[in-house]
Amino acid sequence: MSNHWIVSILLFILILGVIVISHEFGHFAMARRSGIRVNEFDVGFGPTLLSKKFGDTDFCLKLLPFGGACVFEGMDELEEDERKELSPDAFPNAPVGARIATVLAGPAANFIIGYIFALIIVAFCGTDLPVIQKVIDDSAAQEAGLAAGDTIMQIDGNRIHLYREVSLHSMMNYGEPLTITYERDGARNTVTLTPKFDEADNRYYIGIQGAGEAHACNAIEVFQYGFYEIEYWVRATISSLAGIFKGHFSRDDVAGPVGVVQVVNDTYTEAQPYGPMVVIMSLLNLATLLTVNLGIINLLPLPALDGGRLVFLLIEAVRGKPIPPDKEGMVHLAGFMALMLLMVLVMFNDISRLFR
């Protein structure tokens, strides 16, 4: 194994560790604030390597660095009579509002740490304003009257702040017309164009080239464009998930831990010749994507995820009583097994892709 791969694996573990610890700490902090006892705070899965007890909580480092868990008092009891015997600070005995807040705190922490990453990136690297650098001849953009120097303000009613948002709309377009509002010499104009299909690349293009206009942000703009960075990654993640469900992506477009290590390795290898600062900023950019991705995926209403637990809690809040614990437990167990199977399949695909 080359030194690059060893470094990439260590960087992956570091990035994933920060993201997972942030997520679980969100659950932990809100649980403690709500008076819910946390029995165990795990980083990783599998056998315990290290364990240290602070207060009522065992903080554990596990063998496999691919996730984590925040184990609340009373989470494992599936029968109603078992729950009645729990202490007052057990999770099931907390008010439903406190339990909802505790479940939401994990994904919220992912967005918060992502925003911190984004602030650092924007402070050091600035941002990319959505200013057109070049319009390709005979393209949809040229036929619609767009020209170099135009600033894209909106696409299909969505406010555009970064040039990457323009690229995202182009990449996720499958031949649908786009309504674009742009600004030229202080005047705003709106046009509708239909991206053209490129057989060589097997995708549709608006017909704009370049990377936008580089802009160094002042102190106030750092916070503003840091928010726009997070907004961009949220849009990119949601658009990608929608594309998966619509069948626009193949299995090779989905990556598990091994695939992410490959991405880390590619990012590190490409950035290294430009110096340590470029490496750090490139990896922070990747970490921002990953933490936003984790936050959104955890909010999906699927069993075993935070979103699945949230569905049951919202039903409880509406109907005034919880779903029978044994039924909820079986749903989450089935969801967890399906999630583990999916992870195995994705990991197998990641590994097989390395040998193609």
Side-chain angles (χ1 to χ4, degrees):
M1 182 180 291
S2 68
N3 290 336
H4 266 206
W5 274 104
I6 295 174
V7 172
S8 297
I9 291 172
L10 293 176
L11 289 172
F12 165 73
I13 293 174
L14 175 63
I15 292 171
L16 187 65
V18 171
I19 293 172
V20 169
I21 290 173
S22 299
H23 180 95
E24 299 304 333
F25 183 76
H27 289 311
F28 175 83
M30 185 57 69
R32 298 309 301 141
R33 187 179 186 281
S34 302
I36 298 171
R37 178 173 178 172
V38 182
N39 289 338
E40 198 168 296
F41 186 104
D42 297 335
V43 177
F45 287 121
T48 300
L49 298 179
L50 297 172
S51 178
K52 181 69 175 178
K53 193 176 186 70
F54 292 95
D56 296 328
T57 306
D58 288 315
F59 291 84
C60 304
L61 178 64
K62 303 288 185 175
L63 177 63
L64 304 175
F66 299 133
C70 199
V71 183
F72 306 117
E73 171 77 12
M75 287 291 286
D76 296 331
E77 283 70 19
L78 301 181
E79 301 297 333
E80 192 73 44
D81 57 347
E82 290 179 323
R83 294 197 169 196
K84 290 179 180 178
E85 299 173 0
L86 293 174
S87 60
D89 56 356
F91 184 83
N93 291 334
V96 66
R99 283 178 279 149
I100 289 174
T102 299
V103 170
L104 284 175
N110 285 125
F111 295 118
I112 292 172
I113 194 69
Y115 183 59
I116 293 172
F117 291 161
L119 290 178
I120 297 172
I121 293 168
V122 173
F124 282 94
C125 303
T127 191
D128 53 325
L129 299 180
V131 178
I132 298 174
Q133 302 299 308
K134 180 181 179 181
V135 174
I136 300 173
D137 292 338
D138 300 322
S139 66
Q142 186 183 63
E143 292 173 0
L146 294 174
D150 293 344
T151 300
I152 306 253
M153 308 301 293
Q154 291 184 353
I155 297 181
D156 286 344
N158 297 308
R159 186 75 170 85
I160 301 297
H161 304 100
L162 312 175
Y163 184 83
R164 280 163 291 157
E165 292 175 304
V166 180
S167 300
L168 179 64
H169 277 278
S170 176
M171 185 170 59
M172 295 298 176
N173 182 272
Y174 300 96
E176 304 90 354
L178 295 174
T179 300
I180 297 178
T181 298
Y182 64 95
E183 186 174 279
R184 179 187 298 169
D185 298 328
R188 291 198 178 188
N189 303 281
T190 299
V191 296
T192 299
L193 58 82
T194 301
K196 293 186 177 182
F197 186 72
D198 186 295
E199 293 185 1
D201 293 340
N202 193 35
R203 56 161 290 189
Y204 289 86
Y205 284 103
I206 295 175
I208 297 173
Q209 279 187 341
E213 181 181 290
H215 175 69
C217 297
N218 60 37
I220 296 177
E221 289 177 327
V222 164
F223 292 94
Q224 178 185 1
Y225 280 91
F227 176 81
Y228 294 153
E229 285 282 331
I230 295 300
E231 184 180 40
Y232 164 74
W233 287 121
V234 168
R235 287 185 180 181
T237 301
I238 293 175
S239 297
S240 298
L241 289 172
I244 291 173
F245 287 114
K246 291 177 181 178
H248 293 312
F249 297 109
S250 69
R251 66 178 187 174
D252 288 340
D253 295 312
V254 181
V258 177
V260 176
V261 171
Q262 176 71 61
V263 173
V264 171
N265 183 65
D266 293 342
T267 302
Y268 173 69
T269 302
E270 292 172 6
Q272 190 184 29
Y274 300 97
M277 183 57 69
V278 175
V279 171
I280 293 171
M281 292 300 109
S282 298
L283 291 174
L284 270 181
N285 196 55
L286 177 59
T288 306
L289 163 62
L290 292 176
T291 189
V292 170
N293 190 276
L294 180 63
I296 291 176
I297 289 178
N298 263 282
L299 287 174
L300 295 178
L302 301 176
L305 298 179
D306 291 334
R309 295 189 181 279
L310 184 62
V311 169
F312 282 96
L313 290 172
L314 292 175
I315 292 174
E316 177 182 343
V318 171
R319 71 197 294 258
K321 60 180 181 178
I323 301 293
D326 56 334
K327 292 183 173 60
E328 179 181 348
M330 291 304 296
V331 170
H332 289 310
L333 178 61
F336 179 77
M337 294 174 64
L339 184 62
M340 290 300 102
L341 177 61
L342 177 61
M343 287 183 64
V344 170
L345 293 175
V346 171
M347 186 174 295
F348 175 80
N349 189 59
D350 285 345
I351 295 173
S352 64
R353 194 161 52 218
L354 293 176
F355 296 96
R356 293 177 192 171

